[in-house]
Amino acid sequence: MKFTLSWLKDHLETDASLAEIVERLTSIGLEVEHVDDKAGLKPFVIAKVLTAVQHPDADRLRVLTVDTGDGKAPVQVVCGAPNARAGLIGAFAAPGTYVPGIDVTLTVGKIRGVESHGMMCSERELELSDEHHGIIDLPEDAPVGTSFAAYAHLDDPVIEINLTPNRPDATSVYGIARDLAASGLGRLVGGAIMPHAGNGMCPVKVKIEAPELCPGFALRLVKGVKNGPSPKWLQQRLIAIGLRPISALVDITNYVTFDRGRPLHVFDAAKVAGNLTVRRAKDGEKVQALDGREYTLTPEMCVIADEDGVESIAGIMGGEHSGCDENTSDVLIESALWDPITTARTGRTLGIITDARYRFERGVDPEFMVPGVELATKLVLDFCGGTPTETEVVGYAGHTPKIVAFPLSEVKRLTGIEVPRDESLGILSRLGFEPQGSGDVVDVKVPSWRPDVDGKADLVEEVMRIHGVDNILAQPLGAHDAVNAKILTTLQIRTRAAKRALAVRGMMEAVTWSFIPAKHAELFGGGQTALKLANPIAADMSDMRPSLLPGLIAAAQRNADKGIGDVALFEVSGTYEGDGADQQRRVAAGVRRGTAKLDGSGRNWAGNSGPVGVFDAKADAIAALEACGAPVDRLQIEAGGPAWYHPGRSGTIKLGPKVVLGTFGEFHPKTLEGLDVSGPLCGFEVFVDAVPEPKAKPTKTKPRLELSAFQAVKRDFAFVVDRAVEAGTLVRAALAADRKLISGVSVFDVFEGASLGADKKSIAIEVSIQPVEKTLTDEDFEALARRIVENVGKQTGGVLRA
């Protein structure tokens, strides 16, 4: 947001200096990014060339005598400009003046033997433009001897502030002046707008077919205008903030947009066919806009149309067909309210950035819709003449102000500063709020120009930014109760641990978008429950991700497209299954592509390694869960997983029958086709927030492991079971035979063959036996072996293989 100092002082009566204004703006939250102050041009004066004769020793130089207007004798200047002539009036720099465009401080010097006492300057030498083919040529009535900067209005500093999206009121010079006045830097002036009596009703009527997109519309016809250049002061202000003056009618709309934050549009009434209709655009409908480009519209966009078609893209840009020009004699002034979300989406889809869109998508003051027409009418009558009709207002039902209950004690609680009651209420009143009540909790009526204020914390912010955040004293951080006091939450600790564990396994961390295409969300369980964005930043980022895997798979494919086919990526972040807090999960996920196995080299002792598969994904998932503190010795693996995995090459990790801790597997070919990716791919997801909380530690430290004084023994067993029996079931059955003596069970062989019988397989396990009380005898081992065989037989139907 740019404005000049003189423009600000139209609405702020103040004696504060530029430096004080800049400092106050930043302190009240309107951060100043840049100040363009042409103070360095003050030494340049308007001077008149009296004579211009050829230089005796140079064909391209002239010797000038210049009247600088100081009452002294004319000075001699050597000049090489082709337009230097007697009678020219331009900008003169005396010796000792610093010329910014050439980075030189002038001195009296000799040029080809002729003394030169100064310089007549070009625009580039004053850094006004790139023009340097001639010196500045001013009109004959330019006052000789006065400041060139003052004459050219270059002594009016331009201030640029950085606005946050929640401050639509500060998109106007008047709104900025209101904040400065509330802070005590001056008095707010120039706010009153007198209505103009109209001569008859507006002949052009307005129909709103899409009230959800246009809550109000005001239109007024002014007849008999004479469109031409706008006044010099208005042109200079627009140029100062980077706008190009076009004509009085167009410049008025730009001026009101910046002065009051009220975008307007003007139609040439003679080019409007019949009445106006506010409606949704038809699919494929086209319009030639004022920027000369043709845009194709969709039904999600709002337009203003006449009987012949679209005349304006609502809230963004007018159409070229009905634009005003030098022949315009009757003008329609439009001031309307547009839905912010629709305006933002339309502008983003069409790639149009305008000052009107910038304000409408943040929210304009609804109560200034009609006064905006009145202000524009006054300027049109002042600059172009004409006769106005009455204003046609359609659809506007008035503004219902928000009432916020404001406990005054919240200022102290949230900021640590005691602001007196009267000062708090006074600040809110000066900002346009209306406090009501006399108790400790007052009801505050929010003004129409502050749609960002919703609760008591917002009011505290308003009080503190005007009171001064620099009044908040620095406080040291409080000491912890103990050196080893816990700082991070359990979820933060698990997140860090999972990242370290996966990085150790040769995987690289990736950060992917939280937004994914709707098609990808559906592939990974989004469907109708997907959390869709009301205002996506792009068409292919419409849904919040229900899984981390789509982004990781896409990242792996991008690496493959660039020649890096063997890649292992992981991410620990959030997924979204709905808009509730309980539907947002912390997930650790990873994918491996090509031959990116654990060693990361793509080779093993047997030669080149094969493609990644389900067991690589399983190992990654178990490692992540173990790092998060999950009891890996009690995990249960079930065959099969979600639909995006291959049904025969995937699994689900559970802790008990109900608690799902993760899934893993190779991806289904249809999933890869839907994502438009290729290659061997496997992946996993583990739910970090589903891992049970660790048990409270005992008050006294106890050894976590008691070392046995007796020698451990290992015994091998081979069982013939049905082919459908899972190895994990058999392992758990063997462990349950005697949990005190059996310290571990592992599978070392699975065999299938005709000698075992149809639909049978052999599973060989190694049982680790750790005596803790005495040395076991042969009879003890035999008894334990019988219990193992019996337990496996009962739970799996397996028999000891002969």
Side-chain angles (χ1 to χ4, degrees):
M1 173 66 186
K2 290 184 178 180
F3 55 93
T4 65
L5 182 61
S6 66
W7 197 344
L8 177 67
K9 290 187 175 181
D10 282 355
H11 301 299
L12 182 69
E13 193 176 89
T14 181
D15 296 327
S17 66
L18 174 63
E20 291 172 328
I21 291 174
V22 168
E23 182 180 1
R24 184 63 58 84
L25 282 169
T26 299
S27 69
I28 62 177
L30 304 177
E31 180 183 0
V32 176
E33 284 197 331
H34 180 68
V35 177
D36 187 6
D37 186 6
K38 301 289 186 182
L41 299 182
K42 290 182 180 178
F44 297 86
V45 298
I46 298 176
K48 182 175 183 179
V49 178
L50 300 179
T51 63
V53 298
Q54 187 69 39
H55 191 288
D57 292 327
D59 293 339
R60 296 186 178 182
L61 298 179
R62 288 181 175 82
V63 181
L64 314 178
T65 56
V66 179
D67 177 14
T68 61
D70 58 359
K72 299 179 182 180
V75 297
Q76 180 174 280
V77 175
V78 177
C79 180
N83 65 333
R85 66 183 187 278
L88 180 143
I89 298 177
F92 171 75
T97 301
Y98 173 74
V99 182
I102 56 176
D103 192 24
V104 168
T105 299
L106 298 180
T107 60
V108 177
K110 283 189 177 182
I111 302 177
R112 294 289 185 94
V114 178
E115 280 194 350
S116 182
H117 297 261
M119 179 181 186
M120 297 296 290
C121 302
S122 68
E123 290 188 359
R124 188 170 75 172
E125 288 157 348
L126 299 188
E127 294 186 333
L128 301 179
S129 72
D130 291 332
E131 177 59 46
H132 65 284
H133 296 296
I135 56 179
I136 294 173
D137 192 350
L138 298 177
E140 295 181 358
D141 59 353
V144 175
T146 62
S147 167
F148 170 73
Y151 172 80
H153 295 277
L154 298 175
D155 58 344
D156 192 4
V158 179
I159 304 169
E160 182 177 4
I161 64 174
N162 180 26
L163 285 183
T164 52
N166 68 317
R167 290 300 307 277
D169 60 303
T171 60
S172 69
V173 179
Y174 185 81
I176 295 168
R178 177 171 49 226
D179 269 17
L180 288 171
S183 73
L185 203 64
R187 187 172 68 89
L188 187 64
V189 295
I193 298 175
M194 299 301 295
H196 291 77
N199 183 13
M201 301 300 294
C202 179
V204 179
K205 302 303 178 183
V206 179
K207 179 183 179 181
I208 301 178
E209 292 183 354
E212 70 279 7
L213 305 182
C214 177
F217 196 104
L219 188 71
R220 168 176 260 170
L221 174 68
V222 182
K223 301 178 181 178
V225 301
K226 185 177 181 181
N227 194 18
S230 57
K232 194 70 176 176
W233 65 267
L234 178 52
Q235 292 188 39
Q236 289 168 340
R237 285 188 175 176
L238 295 180
I239 292 172
I241 63 174
L243 297 180
R244 179 175 61 90
I246 298 174
S247 67
L249 292 175
V250 177
D251 293 352
I252 286 169
T253 63
N254 288 329
Y255 177 76
V256 176
T257 296
F258 279 83
D259 187 64
R260 295 303 185 94
R262 163 33 71 179
L264 304 169
H265 185 62
V266 287
F267 298 90
D268 188 329
K271 300 175 183 177
V272 174
N275 296 322
L276 295 177
T277 302
V278 179
R279 59 172 173 81
R280 291 182 180 272
K282 300 173 183 176
D283 194 20
E285 202 167 19
K286 297 183 178 181
V287 61
Q288 190 84 12
L290 286 171
D291 61 359
R293 297 172 58 190
E294 185 178 73
Y295 295 96
T296 302
L297 310 177
T298 67
E300 288 75 31
M301 302 173 184
C302 186
V303 299
I304 305 173
D306 63 7
E307 294 179 0
D308 291 339
V310 177
E311 293 292 354
S312 175
I313 306 173
I316 296 178
M317 185 177 289
E320 188 177 57
H321 168 72
S322 57
C324 295
D325 54 33
E326 66 278 3
N327 299 316
T328 299
S329 59
D330 296 340
V331 61
L332 287 166
I333 304 173
E334 169 253 303
S335 175
L337 300 174
W338 306 108
D339 175 58
I341 298 299
T342 303
T343 303
R345 184 186 297 117
T346 300
R348 187 175 295 120
T349 301
L350 298 179
I352 305 177
I353 301 174
T354 63
D355 294 317
R357 172 194 162 185
Y358 181 84
R359 286 158 177 80
F360 279 124
E361 67 185 8
R362 282 162 173 76
V364 300
D365 181 5
E367 291 290 89
F368 200 78
M369 182 181 73
V370 175
V373 173
E374 298 291 352
L375 177 57
T377 300
K378 177 184 182 302
L379 295 174
V380 169
L381 297 181
D382 290 346
F383 302 161
C384 307
T387 303
T389 66
E390 293 291 339
T391 302
E392 174 92 358
V393 180
V394 180
Y396 185 56
H399 172 69
T400 302
K402 289 180 282 189
I403 305 295
V404 177
F406 180 38
L408 295 169
S409 59
E410 286 294 282
V411 177
K412 170 71 173 177
R413 187 181 73 85
L414 294 178
T415 67
I417 292 216
E418 191 73 55
V419 180
R421 171 194 173 88
D422 291 343
E423 182 181 351
S424 295
L425 298 182
I427 288 173
L428 293 175
S429 297
R430 294 195 299 273
L431 288 172
F433 296 85
E434 297 180 29
Q436 302 165 346
S438 57
D440 294 333
V441 179
V442 297
D443 289 334
V444 178
K445 183 185 294 186
V446 179
S448 58
W449 58 83
R450 292 303 302 271
D452 58 305
V453 175
D454 291 310
K456 58 186 179 181
D458 298 324
L459 296 176
V460 172
E461 180 182 355
E462 294 301 301
V463 171
M464 283 313 304
R465 70 183 184 87
I466 301 299
H467 175 74
V469 294
D470 52 343
N471 291 320
I472 300 177
L473 299 178
Q475 297 288 338
L477 288 174
H480 296 291
D481 294 337
V483 175
N484 296 327
K486 183 178 178 180
I487 298 175
L488 301 179
T489 65
T490 300
L491 198 57
Q492 289 172 328
I493 294 171
R494 289 176 177 174
T495 298
R496 291 188 174 191
K499 288 182 177 182
R500 290 193 183 101
L502 294 173
V504 167
R505 294 182 61 79
M507 306 185 80
M508 300 186 68
E509 184 174 8
V511 179
T512 63
W513 286 99
S514 298
F515 324 125
I516 62 175
K519 178 182 176 182
H520 294 181
E522 291 174 4
L523 286 172
F524 286 82
Q528 297 180 351
T529 62
L531 187 59
K532 294 189 174 294
L533 297 173
N535 185 25
I537 62 175
D540 59 349
M541 293 185 173
S542 59
D543 290 45
M544 299 298 288
R545 61 187 179 196
S547 167
L548 299 180
L549 293 173
L552 290 173
I553 294 172
Q557 184 63 39
R558 285 193 295 271
N559 279 272
D561 293 341
K562 296 181 179 180
I564 308 173
D566 300 329
V567 63
L569 303 174
F570 78 89
E571 183 173 9
V572 185
S573 189
T575 61
Y576 308 87
E577 300 172 4
D579 56 2
D582 59 337
Q583 295 175 300
Q584 300 180 21
R585 310 200 67 175
R586 175 67 59 170
V587 178
V591 298
R592 291 183 183 270
R593 188 186 187 281
T595 60
K597 289 182 175 287
L598 176 57
D599 64 356
S601 65
R603 297 178 299 166
N604 60 23
W605 292 112
N608 291 334
S609 64
V612 294
V614 59
F615 294 108
D616 298 298
K618 176 185 176 183
D620 291 333
I622 297 297
L625 285 171
E626 185 176 15
C628 293
V632 293
D633 58 331
R634 293 191 285 118
L635 297 181
Q636 300 173 10
I637 310 296
E638 290 186 359
W644 50 88
Y645 290 117
H646 192 293
R649 301 174 188 172
S650 59
T652 300
I653 306 173
K654 290 186 174 183
L655 186 62
K658 296 182 179 180
V659 180
V660 177
L661 295 184
T663 59
F664 62 88
E666 299 174 26
F667 293 106
H668 199 291
K670 289 186 177 179
T671 302
L672 300 181
E673 182 181 355
L675 295 174
D676 194 23
V677 299
S678 60
L681 271 162
C682 68
F684 72 92
E685 279 187 304
V686 297
F687 308 118
V688 177
D689 51 6
V691 177
E693 288 282 344
K695 295 181 179 179
K697 293 182 178 180
T699 55
K700 293 184 179 180
T701 303
K702 296 180 180 179
R704 300 186 63 183
L705 178 63
E706 294 182 2
L707 297 178
S708 175
F710 304 101
Q711 179 69 40
V713 180
K714 294 183 179 179
R715 289 288 186 268
D716 294 343
F717 297 84
F719 294 94
V720 178
V721 296
D722 291 338
R723 183 178 293 175
V725 174
E726 297 175 352
T729 304
L730 191 145
V731 168
R732 288 191 294 272
L735 275 171
D738 192 325
R739 294 190 179 276
K740 187 175 181 180
L741 286 176
I742 300 176
S743 60
V745 178
S746 61
V747 177
F748 67 86
D749 181 62
V750 177
F751 169 74
E752 295 182 14
S755 61
L756 298 176
D759 295 326
K760 296 289 184 179
K761 65 181 178 181
S762 170
I763 300 177
I765 61 174
E766 180 185 70
V767 179
S768 298
I769 305 169
Q770 177 62 67
V772 292
E773 295 178 351
K774 65 176 182 176
T775 300
L776 300 182
T777 64
D778 290 341
E779 291 77 9
D780 295 330
F781 281 116
E782 290 298 329
L784 178 59
R786 285 195 297 273
R787 291 199 298 273
I788 293 173
V789 173
E790 291 173 359
N791 219 42
V792 170
K794 288 180 182 178
Q795 296 189 30
T796 68
V799 296
L800 194 63
R801 183 178 174 186

